[in-house]
Amino acid sequence: MTHRSQNRLLGWAAVFLFLQSVVLTLSPAARERSWNVDYRASHWIGFAVWGGCAYLVHRALEKNLPEHDPYIFPAAALLSGWGLLTVWRLDEGFGLRQTLWLGISSAILIAALRLEKNLAFLKSFKYIFLVGGLLITGLTLIFGTNPLGAGPRLWLGVGGIYFQPSEPLKILLVIYLSAYLADRANIRLTSLPMLAPTVVVTGLALLLLFIQRDLGAASIFIFIYTIFLFIAAGKRRILLTTGALLLAVLLIGYFLVDVIHARVIGWLNPWDDPTGNSYQIIQSLLAVANGGALGRGLGIGSPLLVPVSISDFIYAAIAEEAGLAGTLGLICLIWLILARGLIVAQRAPDNFRRFLAAGVVAYLGVQSLLIIGGNLRLLPLTGVTLPFVSYGGSSLLTSFIALYLLLAISNVEDAEPASLKDQRPYSILAGIFALGLFACAVAGAWWAIYRGDSLLARTDNARRAIADRYVLRGELVDINNSPINVTTGKSGAYLRQYLYPGLAPVTGYTHPVFGQAGIEASVDDYLRGLKGNPTSLILWNQLLYGTPPPGLDVRLSLDLSLQKTADELLAHHTGAIILMNAETGEILVMASHPTYDPNKLDDEGDSLSRDENSPLLNRATQGLYPAGDVFLPFILAQFDGELPGDSNLLAYYKESGLLRAPAIALPVAERDFPNELEDLRAIPLQVVLAAAAVSNEGVIPAPRIATAVNTLEQGWIVLPALDNAREAIPARAAKEAALSFIHAGDAFWSHAARGVIGKTTVNWLVAGTPPDWQGAPLALVVALEDDSPAAATRIGATLMNAVLNR
Amino acid sequence: MSGSIVLIARLLATIALYGFLAWAFIFLYREIQRQGAALSNRRVPGISVMVKQPGGRGALKYFNQAEIAIGRDPGCDISLTDDTVSARHAHLTFHHNQWWLEDLASTNGTRLNGLPVETPTVITSGDEIQCGGAGLNVSLSENVIIEPTQRLEKQRPSKPQ
């Protein structure tokens, strides 16, 4: 029966890993949405070696331990295979190394199974093992290195192979404690002289690890020691006392040790410092959130964004690509090993083997809980590995030694277990592990499902920028469908190109480093395909590729030929021009100078934001200019040709809503209303709206710039205006005002104004079509920051003539 | 297209993962069933105890359970009224295919065939047990055949033939 169940379980594990390998092979095709890609193949070496190792160990177990536990090995094999494929997916070089380590660990396991079955030698040489382990760990104080070059020096390196002695030291401590306590099982365990040797040994190991700053291993030692005392003495107060002590140590460490301080702060308030102390944990949570329920599929997510995803954060990497479904399975596998381990402990034929099995379970359980809880922000981060799964030769080898011990102990020839005085500690231990793993499952669901969307919308989620490289972004086109901003290249290397760079302050940019600005930002949902597409299509793309569907084109009301004329007129001046269809509110021209070239953002992005001329600013909607009497035609129409007093005028500005921020698909500057008329400021958009009312029979139109979106099913559909048109002045008064502002020889009305506040001077020109104009009514504003009234008038007149004579 | 095929492979992989777990739980369930059957099948050979109390007539008691408590407490299987017997004085247990006598730290001690019992001791038919002032005569059922463990293992009904 044993062999048959183990056979069947290993078969399922092999099928799972085979399918995962298939997914990894095909993953580039899914990413780039094409069959014509470079497929991944090297990980099949890992799968083949895994299969060979699993088969050989299975045979060795059948032969040497006929009565062993049939669940532990298949679960451990599945975990290590899964870890191996994940490591291979993250980094092929490390994948090859991990494959080698899997082979070595399996060979050692098979050799151990053949040579020694009853573990008596461990008991006899307990002190030699322990002292050896401590000495080797001590060597890292002198010869320690770190394979990554920086960070704690916890490894011993020989010829490119690195070994972390604190990993096997955990098992050596377990062996020593089991042997020592098994010999004294009948004596009272609460007496200090009894425990002195274990306290000294554990304290020594702890001291060593504290000097090395290997806090993860140190906390595991404390937990293992506690669990041993608890199992041997059966007193619940041991757990409570240690819990209180650990909390105290944590508090003291919080105030005195900078590493602990940083970790605790990063744990309690990760959102305050997302780029510093909390960078790792937030990236880990983002990976979990991106996994969602089903995961992105092996090779299709972006787990490499999480630092050290290969070892400490491998759980986050698995969560991203296998999803909640996968991590729940992973947690069940860990639980299977722990639960079977505790059963093995209870059935063990003597106290030494019973304690040894329980200690191994404690080691595996505590370490798994610490790192999974750390990845999910249930616990402060401790840099330990996930047994069987994480990359690392020392970690894998130690996990396999633990596996060997459990399997050897489970093979009881004598059906009668040693007498057990008190079964309760084992139940409590099982309960604690079950609760901990359950908490991990709930936390995983919380971040992946409940908080998933809000996490993924964070600006520090680089996955959005990665998706942009693989998914076609919609184009921005002008009123005649001439392209303005387009995406070129092939999937995996899509690049945004700006065909009319002069419009940059208006249309903005989308960039992996600098983010988004202008219209690119305000209609991003359409361009990215998240709006305007059917919900089913969005969900389907999310499921298949983990990205939004291809984006939709957005049409702007801008007319590129007029825009070009305006830009040529504005040239080197600093200022803004808006030409608006006074009836519909559509903006035909919006120019803001100085401008910049978003195609060169990679090189110039940093200097642009520091440029004192603020080229990034869209002066047409964000330039808060001194208003002067720029609203004169509008005001005269409103007050029947007589200018009211200053205080009445100010009150009118305030109540009429003329100076509130118009709603439009662009960022608009806003400022508190001033107390003095001289301090009045206005943005060109507000001025042109007032001018539009004069040319449009007194109605202020709703301004629009993004006018339509090209959907898949219905073609171009109109995007509604964000604001409402409203009647501001009587139609007759507007007509009279327009007529009174037509200067001799002009075919349009116009008004030049000058606003001064402090050192800021602005020259305005507002203009519009006359009442008898047969075509669409137009309104124009020109605002120049340099002190040349003539230039503003000339630019305005030239542009008006060009438009009217078209 | 590529995405759909990879999605199918992804779903199959998840199903395989849960297939593993489902089989593990099926095997666990069968194991529990088997163990229950094995335990209920395990027969405890009967034991007869002749209880002789000072001043009273002897009484013969027959048990077929694996643990028999002896003491002054009325809840004990063999309840003795003698004052020299502790509340829970000693017990007889059947394991490893033998009956064992163990003293439960009684005040006046337990003696087997005149010798004090300090560790769990195997008893055989005809043994005389002395708990304080009370005496017990043990006789084991005739049909007990002491077999090597190995054969019992093979008798376990692991595979329904």
Side-chain angles (χ1 to χ4, degrees):
Chain A
M1 197 63 195
T2 296
H3 305 153
R4 264 184 39 210
S5 354
Q6 179 160 307
N7 237 335
R8 180 71 55 86
L9 292 177
L10 280 174
W12 279 105
V15 169
F16 169 72
L17 294 176
F18 173 80
L19 287 166
Q20 286 283 46
S21 302
V22 169
V23 172
L24 184 52
T25 301
L26 297 179
S27 61
R31 277 193 98 115
E32 294 173 31
R33 308 188 182 196
S34 138
W35 291 112
N36 183 23
V37 292
D38 295 330
Y39 292 98
R40 303 182 66 148
S42 57
H43 60 275
W44 287 100
I45 303 172
F47 178 72
V49 170
W50 177 86
C53 289
Y55 174 71
L56 290 175
V57 173
H58 173 60
R59 251 192 27 191
L61 277 171
E62 271 186 19
K63 209 171 131 200
N64 298 302
L65 302 180
E67 293 292 320
H68 70 273
D69 185 288
Y71 306 92
I72 296 176
F73 173 63
L78 200 165
L79 284 178
S80 37
W82 198 351
L84 180 66
L85 284 182
T86 308
V87 170
W88 210 297
R89 175 257 177 278
L90 292 167
D91 187 314
E92 299 197 345
F94 282 117
L96 193 61
R97 279 165 164 257
Q98 181 79 342
T99 309
L100 272 176
W101 277 112
L102 182 70
I104 294 171
S105 305
S106 303
I108 291 176
L109 176 60
I110 292 169
L113 288 174
R114 288 206 180 146
L115 293 176
E116 178 66 47
K117 289 164 209 166
N118 69 7
L119 308 176
F121 76 105
L122 290 177
K123 204 173 173 182
S124 332
F125 299 116
K126 58 177 185 280
Y127 277 104
I128 294 178
F129 283 133
L130 189 72
V131 170
L134 284 173
L135 279 181
I136 294 175
T137 312
L139 282 182
T140 58
L141 289 178
I142 310 164
F143 302 109
T145 54
N146 188 312
L148 301 174
R153 301 165 181 274
L154 308 177
W155 284 263
L156 288 177
V158 181
I161 297 172
Y162 292 92
F163 196 72
Q164 191 177 0
S166 66
E167 287 284 344
L169 188 62
K170 293 166 193 160
I171 290 284
L172 294 176
L173 182 81
V174 166
I175 294 171
Y176 165 76
L177 287 174
S178 327
Y180 183 87
L181 292 174
D183 288 344
R184 291 156 182 81
N186 295 324
I187 312 173
R188 277 168 54 85
L189 279 155
T190 36
S191 68
L192 195 64
M194 248 300 296
L195 293 179
T198 65
V199 171
V200 167
V201 163
T202 314
L204 208 64
L206 277 179
L207 189 70
L208 199 58
L209 296 174
F210 269 116
I211 295 172
Q212 280 189 320
R213 305 222 142 182
D214 191 351
L215 298 176
S219 42
I220 288 175
F221 270 57
I222 295 175
F223 282 118
I224 289 178
Y225 185 65
T226 310
I227 290 175
F228 260 109
L229 284 191
F230 176 57
I231 282 180
K235 296 276 190 294
R236 253 176 296 184
R237 63 169 174 269
I238 292 177
L239 289 184
L240 297 177
T241 315
T242 317
L245 267 177
L246 265 181
L247 211 63
V249 169
L250 197 68
L251 273 178
I252 295 169
Y254 174 74
F255 289 112
L256 296 181
V257 185
D258 45 349
V259 181
I260 299 181
H261 186 85
R263 288 272 166 91
V264 172
I265 289 283
W267 175 56
L268 291 176
N269 298 313
W271 319 114
D272 294 351
D273 190 11
T275 50
N277 284 332
S278 314
Y279 180 71
Q280 293 184 324
I281 181 66
I282 286 188
Q283 290 302 322
S284 164
L285 295 182
L286 286 177
V288 175
N290 192 39
L294 283 178
R296 298 279 71 86
L298 196 61
I300 308 174
S302 309
L304 281 165
L305 294 173
V306 187
V308 276
S309 51
I310 207 164
S311 62
D312 293 9
F313 284 95
I314 199 154
Y315 181 82
I318 288 177
E320 172 160 11
E321 302 206 316
L324 186 62
T327 49
L328 289 182
L330 183 99
I331 286 173
C332 287
L333 288 173
I334 293 174
W335 168 244
L336 187 64
I337 294 179
L338 298 181
R340 290 305 300 186
L342 283 174
I343 290 177
V344 166
Q346 292 193 18
R347 288 187 184 162
D350 57 48
N351 267 338
F352 168 61
R353 282 187 262 185
R354 172 169 292 161
F355 287 162
L356 192 55
V360 165
V361 168
Y363 150 69
L364 292 174
V366 166
Q367 188 154 331
S368 304
L369 279 180
L370 273 183
I371 192 59
I372 295 179
N375 276 203
L376 292 172
R377 211 192 135 219
L378 270 182
L379 300 169
L381 265 182
T382 39
V384 297
T385 55
L386 186 56
F388 296 111
V389 184
S390 283
Y391 170 76
S394 348
S395 165
L396 192 67
L397 186 57
T398 309
S399 306
F400 267 62
I401 293 172
L403 179 65
Y404 161 67
L405 293 176
L406 280 183
L407 288 172
I409 296 167
S410 73
N411 187 47
V412 275
E413 298 92 358
D414 188 351
E416 291 280 340
S419 68
L420 182 58
K421 267 201 196 123
D422 188 0
Q423 191 268 339
R424 244 185 1 191
Y426 296 90
S427 319
I428 291 177
L429 202 58
I432 290 173
F433 285 141
L435 260 180
L437 289 172
F438 183 70
C440 289
V442 171
W446 168 265
W447 297 118
I449 310 290
Y450 186 75
R451 289 289 306 277
D453 289 341
S454 61
L455 275 174
L456 291 177
R458 286 175 63 89
T459 48
D460 54 355
N461 177 16
R463 285 167 187 81
R464 286 152 62 95
I466 291 175
D468 287 343
R469 288 214 315 265
Y470 287 94
V471 188
L472 204 57
R473 185 177 174 84
E475 295 184 351
L476 286 179
V477 299
D478 88 336
I479 198 162
N480 301 315
N481 288 346
S482 313
I484 305 174
N485 293 355
V486 297
T487 291
T488 58
K490 61 180 287 251
S491 180
Y494 281 137
L495 191 69
R496 196 66 165 168
Q497 283 207 308
Y498 308 89
L499 305 181
Y500 194 107
L503 263 174
V506 179
T507 54
Y509 52 81
T510 180
H511 191 270
V513 177
F514 300 106
Q516 296 173 327
I519 297 175
E520 290 276 8
S522 60
V523 296
D524 182 54
D525 284 347
Y526 289 110
L527 296 174
R528 215 186 262 281
L530 290 174
K531 226 168 154 184
N533 274 320
T535 317
S536 57
L537 183 75
I538 296 172
L539 286 177
W540 182 241
N541 271 271
Q542 182 65 19
L543 186 63
L544 288 190
Y545 313 106
T547 59
L552 303 177
D553 297 344
V554 171
R555 185 194 286 153
L556 305 182
S557 57
L558 297 176
D559 183 328
L560 278 189
S561 62
L562 291 175
Q563 180 76 32
K564 204 170 164 201
T565 314
D567 275 322
E568 278 165 7
L569 286 168
L570 200 53
H572 60 273
H573 293 287
T574 300
I577 296 178
I578 302 177
L579 177 68
M580 176 184 273
N581 181 325
E583 195 178 350
T584 60
E586 289 174 346
I587 292 170
L588 303 171
V589 168
M590 185 180 270
S592 168
H593 283 209
T595 179
Y596 61 96
D597 187 352
N599 293 309
K600 297 176 184 161
L601 216 52
D602 283 339
D603 307 323
E604 297 175 354
D606 281 325
S607 56
L608 279 177
S609 56
R610 289 193 302 269
D611 194 327
E612 57 184 17
N613 293 322
S614 325
L616 295 173
L617 193 72
N618 179 7
R619 288 170 159 76
T621 57
Q622 293 171 296
L624 274 163
Y625 290 134
D629 67 347
V630 72
F631 290 108
L632 191 65
F634 182 90
I635 296 298
L636 287 180
Q638 181 71 21
F639 290 92
D640 280 338
E642 275 181 56
L643 205 58
D646 280 8
S647 57
N648 283 348
L649 192 55
L650 193 67
Y652 173 72
Y653 280 131
K654 194 165 182 175
E655 282 153 23
S656 65
L658 204 59
L659 292 177
R660 70 174 172 79
I664 189 174
L666 278 171
V668 175
E670 218 172 341
R671 175 178 276 206
D672 289 343
F673 210 80
N675 293 321
E676 299 293 329
L677 194 60
E678 298 90 76
D679 292 335
L680 197 72
R681 287 174 182 266
I683 58 173
L685 182 60
Q686 290 161 341
V687 175
V688 81
L689 283 171
V694 173
S695 285
N696 186 34
E697 300 182 334
V699 177
I700 297 183
R704 302 170 68 200
I705 190 155
T707 52
V709 59
N710 192 6
T711 59
L712 293 177
E713 287 167 348
Q714 293 158 285
W716 287 102
I717 58 170
V718 172
L719 289 174
L722 302 175
D723 217 329
N724 294 316
R726 61 205 160 98
E727 209 160 305
I729 42 178
R732 191 188 43 81
K735 206 177 279 182
E736 280 173 16
L739 288 172
S740 68
F741 276 90
I742 297 177
H743 300 290
D746 283 351
F748 51 88
W749 67 265
S750 65
H751 166 61
R754 184 176 153 87
V756 182
I757 297 178
K759 284 181 182 166
T760 321
T761 304
V762 166
N763 285 290
W764 295 96
L765 184 91
V766 286
T769 48
D772 54 355
W773 175 249
Q774 296 302 310
L778 298 170
L780 171 77
V781 64
V782 179
L784 295 188
E785 287 176 35
D786 28 49
D787 192 8
S788 52
T793 310
R794 182 182 52 78
I795 291 173
T798 317
L799 194 57
M800 267 325 262
N801 284 325
V803 176
L804 295 184
N805 296 328
R806 230 177 11 151
Chain B
M1 185 58 192
S2 52
S4 321
I5 288 180
V6 172
L7 178 69
I8 292 169
R10 280 159 57 196
L11 291 177
L12 287 177
T14 310
I15 291 170
L17 176 63
Y18 282 92
F20 179 100
L21 288 168
W23 273 106
F25 285 117
I26 289 171
F27 289 139
L28 273 171
Y29 178 69
R30 285 195 194 151
E31 187 182 325
I32 289 169
Q33 273 189 325
R34 235 182 17 247
Q35 197 148 39
L39 279 179
S40 61
N41 257 17
R42 189 154 83 185
R43 263 193 224 108
V44 177
I47 184 169
S48 313
V49 182
M50 171 67 98
V51 185
K52 291 175 292 181
Q53 301 201 50
R57 246 170 20 92
L60 185 67
K61 290 194 168 187
Y62 178 79
F63 300 94
N64 63 350
Q65 66 211 54
E67 183 169 345
I68 301 159
I70 306 168
R72 196 158 36 78
D73 194 294
C76 289
D77 301 299
I78 300 175
S79 180
L80 303 169
T81 47
D82 196 294
D83 284 345
T84 56
V85 178
S86 301
R88 287 185 61 80
H89 194 103
H91 67 186
L92 295 167
T93 50
F94 184 81
H95 59 86
H96 287 83
N97 255 342
Q98 315 255 30
W99 278 102
W100 301 69
L101 170 66
E102 189 177 356
D103 181 58
L104 298 174
S106 60
T107 318
N108 293 316
T110 307
R111 300 169 84 84
L112 179 64
N113 299 332
L115 297 170
V117 175
E118 271 150 14
T119 56
T121 311
V122 177
I123 54 172
T124 56
S125 218
D127 277 351
E128 190 161 328
I129 299 168
Q130 192 78 28
C131 296
L136 307 169
N137 251 343
V138 177
S139 69
L140 303 178
S141 302
E142 326 259 296
N143 59 353
V144 173
I145 310 152
I146 301 208
E147 287 175 298
T149 320
Q150 215 51 44
R151 270 204 54 198
L152 269 185
E153 288 266 304
K154 282 184 184 148
Q155 277 177 0
R156 276 196 321 197
S158 56
K159 287 179 198 169
Q161 303 294 325

